[in-house]
Short mmCIF file of all heavy atoms in Angstrom, two decimals:
data_model
loop_
_atom_site.label_atom_id
_atom_site.label_comp_id
_atom_site.label_asym_id
_atom_site.label_seq_id
_atom_site.Cartn_x
_atom_site.Cartn_y
_atom_site.Cartn_z
N ASP A 80 -34.06 -47.68 -47.81
CA ASP A 80 -32.62 -47.71 -48.12
C ASP A 80 -31.92 -48.76 -47.26
O ASP A 80 -31.14 -48.45 -46.37
CB ASP A 80 -32.00 -46.33 -47.84
CG ASP A 80 -32.55 -45.25 -48.75
OD1 ASP A 80 -32.70 -45.52 -49.95
OD2 ASP A 80 -32.82 -44.15 -48.26
N HIS A 82 -29.56 -50.61 -47.77
CA HIS A 82 -28.11 -50.73 -47.90
C HIS A 82 -27.38 -49.86 -46.89
O HIS A 82 -26.18 -50.02 -46.69
CB HIS A 82 -27.69 -50.32 -49.31
CG HIS A 82 -28.08 -48.89 -49.62
ND1 HIS A 82 -29.35 -48.56 -50.03
CD2 HIS A 82 -27.38 -47.76 -49.56
CE1 HIS A 82 -29.41 -47.25 -50.21
NE2 HIS A 82 -28.23 -46.73 -49.92
N LEU A 83 -28.07 -48.93 -46.25
CA LEU A 83 -27.39 -48.06 -45.29
C LEU A 83 -28.21 -47.97 -43.99
O LEU A 83 -29.09 -47.15 -43.89
CB LEU A 83 -27.17 -46.65 -45.87
CG LEU A 83 -26.43 -45.68 -44.97
CD1 LEU A 83 -24.99 -46.12 -44.74
CD2 LEU A 83 -26.45 -44.27 -45.55
N THR A 85 -28.64 -47.07 -40.13
CA THR A 85 -28.04 -46.19 -39.11
C THR A 85 -28.87 -46.32 -37.83
O THR A 85 -29.90 -47.01 -37.81
CB THR A 85 -28.05 -44.72 -39.58
OG1 THR A 85 -29.41 -44.31 -39.78
CG2 THR A 85 -27.23 -44.53 -40.85
N SER A 87 -30.94 -44.35 -36.59
CA SER A 87 -32.34 -43.98 -36.84
C SER A 87 -33.12 -45.08 -37.53
O SER A 87 -34.24 -45.38 -37.15
CB SER A 87 -32.40 -42.72 -37.70
OG SER A 87 -31.86 -41.61 -37.03
N ILE A 133 -55.65 -40.44 -10.58
CA ILE A 133 -56.01 -39.13 -10.00
C ILE A 133 -56.22 -39.23 -8.48
O ILE A 133 -55.91 -38.31 -7.73
CB ILE A 133 -57.24 -38.51 -10.67
CG1 ILE A 133 -57.40 -37.05 -10.32
CG2 ILE A 133 -58.51 -39.26 -10.38
CD1 ILE A 133 -58.44 -36.33 -11.12
N TYR A 137 -49.43 -41.18 -4.36
CA TYR A 137 -48.26 -41.79 -5.04
C TYR A 137 -47.17 -42.08 -4.04
O TYR A 137 -46.91 -41.30 -3.14
CB TYR A 137 -47.75 -40.85 -6.12
CG TYR A 137 -48.66 -40.78 -7.31
CD1 TYR A 137 -49.80 -39.98 -7.31
CD2 TYR A 137 -48.41 -41.54 -8.43
CE1 TYR A 137 -50.66 -39.95 -8.39
CE2 TYR A 137 -49.25 -41.51 -9.55
CZ TYR A 137 -50.38 -40.71 -9.51
OH TYR A 137 -51.23 -40.67 -10.58
N ASP A 145 -43.54 -34.02 -8.07
CA ASP A 145 -44.03 -32.99 -7.14
C ASP A 145 -44.17 -31.62 -7.80
O ASP A 145 -44.90 -30.78 -7.30
CB ASP A 145 -43.10 -32.90 -5.94
CG ASP A 145 -43.69 -32.05 -4.82
OD1 ASP A 145 -44.93 -32.12 -4.62
OD2 ASP A 145 -42.94 -31.32 -4.18
N SER A 146 -43.46 -31.39 -8.88
CA SER A 146 -43.59 -30.07 -9.53
C SER A 146 -44.53 -30.09 -10.72
O SER A 146 -44.60 -29.11 -11.47
CB SER A 146 -42.21 -29.54 -9.91
OG SER A 146 -41.27 -30.57 -9.96
N ARG A 148 -47.83 -31.99 -10.41
CA ARG A 148 -49.07 -32.66 -10.01
C ARG A 148 -50.31 -32.14 -10.74
O ARG A 148 -51.20 -32.94 -11.12
CB ARG A 148 -49.26 -32.57 -8.50
CG ARG A 148 -48.41 -33.59 -7.72
CD ARG A 148 -48.63 -33.41 -6.23
NE ARG A 148 -50.01 -33.18 -5.91
CZ ARG A 148 -50.46 -32.18 -5.13
NH1 ARG A 148 -49.61 -31.32 -4.62
NH2 ARG A 148 -51.74 -32.05 -4.89
N ARG A 172 -62.44 -31.74 -4.83
CA ARG A 172 -61.01 -32.06 -4.64
C ARG A 172 -60.15 -31.30 -5.69
O ARG A 172 -58.98 -31.00 -5.41
CB ARG A 172 -60.80 -33.57 -4.71
CG ARG A 172 -61.43 -34.26 -3.49
CD ARG A 172 -61.08 -35.73 -3.44
NE ARG A 172 -59.66 -35.96 -3.19
CZ ARG A 172 -59.09 -37.18 -3.25
NH1 ARG A 172 -59.85 -38.24 -3.57
NH2 ARG A 172 -57.80 -37.32 -3.03
N THR A 176 -57.16 -28.82 -4.73
CA THR A 176 -55.83 -28.90 -5.35
C THR A 176 -55.41 -27.51 -5.86
O THR A 176 -54.28 -27.08 -5.65
CB THR A 176 -55.86 -29.88 -6.54
OG1 THR A 176 -56.47 -31.11 -6.13
CG2 THR A 176 -54.45 -30.17 -7.05
N GLN A 179 -54.41 -25.28 -3.04
CA GLN A 179 -53.13 -25.69 -2.47
C GLN A 179 -51.95 -25.11 -3.26
O GLN A 179 -50.92 -24.80 -2.69
CB GLN A 179 -53.05 -27.22 -2.46
CG GLN A 179 -51.85 -27.76 -1.74
CD GLN A 179 -51.68 -29.26 -1.95
OE1 GLN A 179 -51.98 -29.78 -3.02
NE2 GLN A 179 -51.24 -29.95 -0.91
N GLY A 189 -46.49 -25.94 -9.32
CA GLY A 189 -46.58 -27.39 -9.37
C GLY A 189 -47.01 -28.00 -8.05
O GLY A 189 -47.59 -29.09 -8.00
N LEU A 194 -43.16 -21.75 -7.26
CA LEU A 194 -43.38 -20.60 -8.14
C LEU A 194 -44.52 -20.90 -9.10
O LEU A 194 -44.65 -22.02 -9.58
CB LEU A 194 -42.14 -20.32 -8.97
CG LEU A 194 -40.96 -19.62 -8.37
CD1 LEU A 194 -39.87 -19.50 -9.45
CD2 LEU A 194 -41.34 -18.24 -7.87
N GLY A 243 -38.10 -15.66 -14.38
CA GLY A 243 -36.71 -16.09 -14.53
C GLY A 243 -36.55 -17.36 -15.34
O GLY A 243 -35.45 -17.85 -15.52
N GLU A 296 -38.05 -26.61 -42.42
CA GLU A 296 -38.80 -27.83 -42.74
C GLU A 296 -40.30 -27.54 -42.87
O GLU A 296 -41.06 -28.41 -43.30
CB GLU A 296 -38.63 -28.85 -41.62
CG GLU A 296 -37.24 -29.45 -41.56
CD GLU A 296 -37.25 -30.70 -40.70
OE1 GLU A 296 -37.48 -31.79 -41.24
OE2 GLU A 296 -37.03 -30.59 -39.48
N GLY A 301 -39.99 -25.29 -30.73
CA GLY A 301 -40.42 -24.82 -29.41
C GLY A 301 -40.01 -23.40 -29.13
O GLY A 301 -40.57 -22.72 -28.28
N ASP A 304 -35.06 -20.88 -33.71
CA ASP A 304 -33.76 -21.57 -33.94
C ASP A 304 -33.79 -23.08 -33.71
O ASP A 304 -32.86 -23.78 -34.11
CB ASP A 304 -32.61 -21.00 -33.06
CG ASP A 304 -32.34 -19.54 -33.30
OD1 ASP A 304 -32.69 -19.06 -34.39
OD2 ASP A 304 -31.76 -18.89 -32.40
N SER A 305 -34.79 -23.61 -33.01
CA SER A 305 -34.76 -25.04 -32.70
C SER A 305 -35.41 -25.86 -33.81
O SER A 305 -35.75 -25.34 -34.87
CB SER A 305 -35.46 -25.30 -31.37
OG SER A 305 -34.63 -24.83 -30.34
N GLU A 306 -35.55 -27.17 -33.53
CA GLU A 306 -36.01 -28.10 -34.58
C GLU A 306 -37.53 -28.21 -34.59
O GLU A 306 -38.19 -28.17 -33.54
CB GLU A 306 -35.38 -29.48 -34.24
CG GLU A 306 -35.71 -30.55 -35.28
CD GLU A 306 -35.13 -31.92 -34.86
OE1 GLU A 306 -34.47 -32.01 -33.78
OE2 GLU A 306 -35.35 -32.90 -35.61
N PRO A 336 -48.76 -24.14 -46.56
CA PRO A 336 -48.42 -25.31 -47.36
C PRO A 336 -47.22 -26.09 -46.83
O PRO A 336 -47.23 -27.32 -46.75
CB PRO A 336 -48.15 -24.73 -48.76
CG PRO A 336 -48.99 -23.50 -48.80
CD PRO A 336 -48.93 -22.94 -47.41
N HIS A 340 -47.16 -29.84 -45.25
CA HIS A 340 -46.19 -30.80 -45.83
C HIS A 340 -45.44 -31.51 -44.72
O HIS A 340 -45.30 -32.74 -44.70
CB HIS A 340 -45.25 -30.03 -46.74
CG HIS A 340 -44.27 -30.90 -47.46
ND1 HIS A 340 -42.99 -31.09 -47.02
CD2 HIS A 340 -44.40 -31.64 -48.59
CE1 HIS A 340 -42.36 -31.91 -47.85
NE2 HIS A 340 -43.18 -32.25 -48.80
N SER A 343 -47.86 -33.67 -42.34
CA SER A 343 -48.37 -34.85 -43.02
C SER A 343 -47.32 -35.96 -43.02
O SER A 343 -47.62 -37.14 -42.85
CB SER A 343 -48.76 -34.48 -44.45
OG SER A 343 -48.90 -35.63 -45.24
N SER A 344 -46.04 -35.57 -43.19
CA SER A 344 -44.99 -36.57 -43.30
C SER A 344 -44.76 -37.29 -41.98
O SER A 344 -44.05 -38.28 -41.92
CB SER A 344 -43.69 -35.93 -43.80
OG SER A 344 -43.09 -35.23 -42.74
N ARG A 356 -41.11 -35.75 -34.87
CA ARG A 356 -40.10 -35.04 -35.66
C ARG A 356 -39.70 -35.90 -36.85
O ARG A 356 -39.90 -37.12 -36.83
CB ARG A 356 -38.85 -34.80 -34.83
CG ARG A 356 -38.98 -33.79 -33.72
CD ARG A 356 -37.63 -33.56 -33.06
NE ARG A 356 -37.49 -34.25 -31.80
CZ ARG A 356 -36.32 -34.45 -31.18
NH1 ARG A 356 -35.21 -34.01 -31.72
NH2 ARG A 356 -36.27 -35.07 -30.03
N ASN A 358 -37.80 -38.28 -39.12
CA ASN A 358 -36.92 -39.42 -38.84
C ASN A 358 -36.90 -39.85 -37.36
O ASN A 358 -35.93 -40.42 -36.90
CB ASN A 358 -35.48 -39.16 -39.30
CG ASN A 358 -35.33 -39.46 -40.79
OD1 ASN A 358 -36.06 -40.28 -41.37
ND2 ASN A 358 -34.40 -38.79 -41.45
N GLN B 46 -46.21 -28.02 4.85
CA GLN B 46 -47.30 -27.94 3.88
C GLN B 46 -48.63 -27.97 4.63
O GLN B 46 -48.82 -28.81 5.49
CB GLN B 46 -47.20 -29.10 2.90
CG GLN B 46 -48.23 -29.05 1.79
CD GLN B 46 -47.91 -30.05 0.69
OE1 GLN B 46 -46.81 -30.11 0.17
NE2 GLN B 46 -48.89 -30.85 0.35
N ALA B 52 -59.18 -33.59 0.56
CA ALA B 52 -57.79 -33.84 0.16
C ALA B 52 -57.56 -33.46 -1.29
O ALA B 52 -58.35 -33.82 -2.14
CB ALA B 52 -57.46 -35.30 0.38
N LEU B 54 -55.89 -33.71 -5.05
CA LEU B 54 -55.74 -34.93 -5.86
C LEU B 54 -54.28 -35.20 -6.19
O LEU B 54 -53.42 -34.30 -6.06
CB LEU B 54 -56.53 -34.76 -7.16
CG LEU B 54 -58.06 -34.73 -6.96
CD1 LEU B 54 -58.73 -34.09 -8.16
CD2 LEU B 54 -58.61 -36.12 -6.69
N ALA B 55 -54.01 -36.43 -6.63
CA ALA B 55 -52.67 -36.83 -7.10
C ALA B 55 -51.60 -36.46 -6.08
O ALA B 55 -50.59 -35.87 -6.41
CB ALA B 55 -52.36 -36.23 -8.47
N GLN B 56 -51.85 -36.79 -4.81
CA GLN B 56 -50.86 -36.45 -3.77
C GLN B 56 -49.73 -37.46 -3.76
O GLN B 56 -49.85 -38.58 -4.24
CB GLN B 56 -51.57 -36.44 -2.42
CG GLN B 56 -52.64 -35.39 -2.37
CD GLN B 56 -52.80 -34.81 -0.98
OE1 GLN B 56 -52.17 -33.82 -0.61
NE2 GLN B 56 -53.60 -35.48 -0.17
N ALA B 58 -46.82 -39.37 -1.29
CA ALA B 58 -46.38 -39.70 0.10
C ALA B 58 -44.89 -39.39 0.18
O ALA B 58 -44.05 -40.23 -0.08
CB ALA B 58 -46.65 -41.17 0.40
N TYR B 59 -44.60 -38.11 0.49
CA TYR B 59 -43.20 -37.68 0.49
C TYR B 59 -42.42 -38.44 1.55
O TYR B 59 -42.95 -38.83 2.59
CB TYR B 59 -43.11 -36.18 0.83
CG TYR B 59 -43.92 -35.31 -0.08
CD1 TYR B 59 -44.97 -34.53 0.40
CD2 TYR B 59 -43.63 -35.23 -1.44
CE1 TYR B 59 -45.70 -33.71 -0.42
CE2 TYR B 59 -44.37 -34.42 -2.29
CZ TYR B 59 -45.40 -33.66 -1.78
OH TYR B 59 -46.13 -32.85 -2.61
N TYR B 63 -37.60 -35.43 2.19
CA TYR B 63 -38.05 -34.43 1.20
C TYR B 63 -38.98 -33.41 1.87
O TYR B 63 -38.85 -32.20 1.67
CB TYR B 63 -38.73 -35.12 0.03
CG TYR B 63 -39.20 -34.20 -1.08
CD1 TYR B 63 -38.29 -33.65 -1.98
CD2 TYR B 63 -40.55 -33.89 -1.24
CE1 TYR B 63 -38.70 -32.79 -3.01
CE2 TYR B 63 -40.97 -33.05 -2.26
CZ TYR B 63 -40.05 -32.51 -3.16
OH TYR B 63 -40.47 -31.68 -4.17
N TYR B 98 -38.48 -26.85 -10.71
CA TYR B 98 -38.04 -25.59 -11.34
C TYR B 98 -37.84 -24.46 -10.33
O TYR B 98 -36.96 -23.63 -10.46
CB TYR B 98 -39.02 -25.17 -12.45
CG TYR B 98 -40.44 -24.97 -11.99
CD1 TYR B 98 -40.88 -23.71 -11.56
CD2 TYR B 98 -41.32 -26.01 -11.94
CE1 TYR B 98 -42.17 -23.52 -11.10
CE2 TYR B 98 -42.63 -25.85 -11.49
CZ TYR B 98 -43.04 -24.60 -11.06
OH TYR B 98 -44.32 -24.43 -10.61
N THR B 99 -38.71 -24.43 -9.30
CA THR B 99 -38.61 -23.36 -8.29
C THR B 99 -37.24 -23.38 -7.61
O THR B 99 -36.60 -22.32 -7.42
CB THR B 99 -39.72 -23.56 -7.23
OG1 THR B 99 -40.96 -23.66 -7.91
CG2 THR B 99 -39.73 -22.41 -6.24
N HIS B 139 -31.92 -24.91 -18.73
CA HIS B 139 -32.12 -23.48 -18.48
C HIS B 139 -31.08 -22.98 -17.47
O HIS B 139 -30.52 -21.90 -17.62
CB HIS B 139 -33.54 -23.24 -17.97
CG HIS B 139 -33.84 -21.79 -17.78
ND1 HIS B 139 -33.83 -20.89 -18.84
CD2 HIS B 139 -34.13 -21.05 -16.68
CE1 HIS B 139 -34.10 -19.68 -18.38
NE2 HIS B 139 -34.29 -19.76 -17.08
N LYS B 167 -30.37 -37.02 -30.42
CA LYS B 167 -31.49 -36.16 -30.87
C LYS B 167 -32.17 -35.45 -29.71
O LYS B 167 -33.31 -35.02 -29.83
CB LYS B 167 -32.51 -37.02 -31.62
CG LYS B 167 -31.94 -37.72 -32.86
CD LYS B 167 -33.02 -38.52 -33.57
CE LYS B 167 -32.44 -39.23 -34.79
NZ LYS B 167 -33.47 -39.97 -35.54
N TYR B 169 -33.77 -33.01 -27.54
CA TYR B 169 -34.27 -31.69 -27.93
C TYR B 169 -33.70 -30.57 -27.08
O TYR B 169 -33.34 -29.51 -27.56
CB TYR B 169 -35.80 -31.67 -27.85
CG TYR B 169 -36.42 -30.60 -28.73
CD1 TYR B 169 -36.70 -30.84 -30.05
CD2 TYR B 169 -36.75 -29.36 -28.20
CE1 TYR B 169 -37.26 -29.87 -30.87
CE2 TYR B 169 -37.32 -28.37 -29.01
CZ TYR B 169 -37.57 -28.63 -30.34
OH TYR B 169 -38.12 -27.66 -31.14
N SER B 173 -31.38 -27.50 -28.38
CA SER B 173 -31.85 -26.12 -28.23
C SER B 173 -30.80 -25.28 -27.49
O SER B 173 -30.57 -24.13 -27.82
CB SER B 173 -33.17 -26.07 -27.43
OG SER B 173 -34.19 -26.66 -28.17
N ARG B 180 -26.13 -18.69 -31.08
CA ARG B 180 -26.64 -17.33 -31.19
C ARG B 180 -26.00 -16.41 -30.18
O ARG B 180 -25.57 -15.30 -30.52
CB ARG B 180 -28.18 -17.32 -31.06
CG ARG B 180 -28.78 -15.94 -31.34
CD ARG B 180 -30.29 -15.96 -31.48
NE ARG B 180 -30.79 -16.59 -32.68
CZ ARG B 180 -30.78 -16.04 -33.90
NH1 ARG B 180 -30.27 -14.85 -34.07
NH2 ARG B 180 -31.27 -16.70 -34.93
N ASP B 201 -24.94 -40.77 -38.51
CA ASP B 201 -26.33 -41.15 -38.80
C ASP B 201 -26.92 -40.09 -39.72
O ASP B 201 -27.31 -39.02 -39.27
CB ASP B 201 -27.13 -41.24 -37.50
CG ASP B 201 -28.58 -41.64 -37.74
OD1 ASP B 201 -28.99 -41.77 -38.92
OD2 ASP B 201 -29.32 -41.81 -36.75
N ARG B 203 -29.55 -39.80 -41.00
CA ARG B 203 -30.97 -39.51 -40.73
C ARG B 203 -31.18 -38.71 -39.45
O ARG B 203 -32.31 -38.56 -39.01
CB ARG B 203 -31.75 -40.82 -40.67
CG ARG B 203 -31.63 -41.67 -41.95
CD ARG B 203 -32.33 -43.01 -41.82
NE ARG B 203 -32.24 -43.79 -43.04
CZ ARG B 203 -31.30 -44.70 -43.27
NH1 ARG B 203 -30.36 -44.93 -42.36
NH2 ARG B 203 -31.29 -45.37 -44.40
N ASN B 205 -32.03 -35.87 -37.90
CA ASN B 205 -32.63 -34.61 -38.32
C ASN B 205 -32.20 -33.44 -37.44
O ASN B 205 -32.13 -32.31 -37.91
CB ASN B 205 -34.17 -34.75 -38.31
CG ASN B 205 -34.83 -33.68 -39.15
OD1 ASN B 205 -34.61 -33.60 -40.34
ND2 ASN B 205 -35.65 -32.84 -38.50
N SER B 206 -31.92 -33.72 -36.19
CA SER B 206 -31.47 -32.65 -35.27
C SER B 206 -30.15 -32.08 -35.74
O SER B 206 -29.93 -30.88 -35.67
CB SER B 206 -31.33 -33.20 -33.86
OG SER B 206 -32.54 -33.78 -33.43
N LEU B 241 -26.36 -41.11 -50.74
CA LEU B 241 -26.09 -42.22 -49.82
C LEU B 241 -27.35 -43.00 -49.47
O LEU B 241 -27.32 -44.21 -49.32
CB LEU B 241 -25.45 -41.71 -48.52
CG LEU B 241 -24.11 -41.01 -48.63
CD1 LEU B 241 -23.69 -40.51 -47.25
CD2 LEU B 241 -23.06 -41.96 -49.18
N GLN B 244 -33.99 -42.21 -49.66
CA GLN B 244 -35.28 -42.10 -48.99
C GLN B 244 -35.16 -41.37 -47.66
O GLN B 244 -36.05 -41.41 -46.81
CB GLN B 244 -35.89 -43.51 -48.84
CG GLN B 244 -37.32 -43.60 -48.31
CD GLN B 244 -38.33 -42.82 -49.13
OE1 GLN B 244 -38.08 -42.38 -50.24
NE2 GLN B 244 -39.51 -42.62 -48.56
N ASN B 245 -34.03 -40.69 -47.44
CA ASN B 245 -33.82 -39.97 -46.19
C ASN B 245 -34.45 -38.58 -46.24
O ASN B 245 -33.94 -37.66 -46.87
CB ASN B 245 -32.32 -39.87 -45.93
CG ASN B 245 -32.00 -38.98 -44.73
OD1 ASN B 245 -32.86 -38.72 -43.90
ND2 ASN B 245 -30.77 -38.51 -44.70
N GLU B 246 -35.54 -38.44 -45.50
CA GLU B 246 -36.31 -37.20 -45.55
C GLU B 246 -35.53 -35.98 -45.05
O GLU B 246 -35.73 -34.87 -45.54
CB GLU B 246 -37.58 -37.40 -44.72
CG GLU B 246 -38.56 -36.29 -44.90
CD GLU B 246 -39.80 -36.46 -44.03
OE1 GLU B 246 -39.89 -37.48 -43.31
OE2 GLU B 246 -40.68 -35.58 -44.08
N SER B 247 -34.64 -36.18 -44.07
CA SER B 247 -33.92 -35.05 -43.50
C SER B 247 -33.14 -34.30 -44.57
O SER B 247 -33.16 -33.06 -44.62
CB SER B 247 -32.94 -35.53 -42.43
OG SER B 247 -33.64 -36.12 -41.36
N ASN B 250 -35.48 -32.46 -46.96
CA ASN B 250 -36.06 -31.27 -46.36
C ASN B 250 -35.05 -30.11 -46.37
O ASN B 250 -35.43 -28.96 -46.56
CB ASN B 250 -36.51 -31.54 -44.92
CG ASN B 250 -37.84 -32.28 -44.87
OD1 ASN B 250 -38.47 -32.49 -45.90
ND2 ASN B 250 -38.27 -32.66 -43.67
N ASP B 289 -42.22 -36.15 -54.52
CA ASP B 289 -42.88 -35.03 -53.82
C ASP B 289 -42.32 -33.70 -54.30
O ASP B 289 -43.05 -32.77 -54.68
CB ASP B 289 -42.63 -35.27 -52.33
CG ASP B 289 -43.19 -34.19 -51.44
OD1 ASP B 289 -43.80 -33.26 -51.93
OD2 ASP B 289 -42.97 -34.31 -50.20
N ARG B 320 -50.77 -41.52 -46.70
CA ARG B 320 -50.92 -40.07 -46.82
C ARG B 320 -51.76 -39.68 -48.05
O ARG B 320 -51.73 -38.52 -48.48
CB ARG B 320 -49.55 -39.40 -46.87
CG ARG B 320 -48.78 -39.55 -45.57
CD ARG B 320 -47.33 -39.08 -45.74
NE ARG B 320 -47.25 -37.65 -46.00
CZ ARG B 320 -46.17 -37.06 -46.50
NH1 ARG B 320 -45.11 -37.80 -46.80
NH2 ARG B 320 -46.15 -35.76 -46.72
N ALA B 337 -49.66 -25.71 -53.86
CA ALA B 337 -50.00 -26.14 -52.50
C ALA B 337 -48.81 -26.54 -51.69
O ALA B 337 -48.91 -26.91 -50.53
CB ALA B 337 -51.00 -27.30 -52.55
#
Side-chain angles (χ1 to χ4, degrees):
Chain A
D80 296 317
H82 60 279
L83 182 66
T85 60
S87 295
I133 194 170
Y137 287 80
D145 191 37
S146 18
R148 281 178 42 231
R172 292 187 66 188
T176 311
Q179 187 190 36
L194 283 179
E296 291 195 88
D304 301 337
S305 288
E306 184 183 359
H340 183 263
S343 164
S344 77
R356 290 185 258 165
N358 278 332
Chain B
Q46 184 168 309
L54 293 160
Q56 298 212 92
Y59 304 118
Y63 182 76
Y98 59 91
T99 306
H139 184 62
K167 300 181 180 182
Y169 203 86
S173 293
R180 186 168 290 283
D201 180 356
R203 301 176 179 94
N205 199 61
S206 304
L241 298 177
Q244 187 56 14
N245 172 19
E246 191 182 358
S247 297
N250 281 355
D289 178 2
R320 294 170 66 198

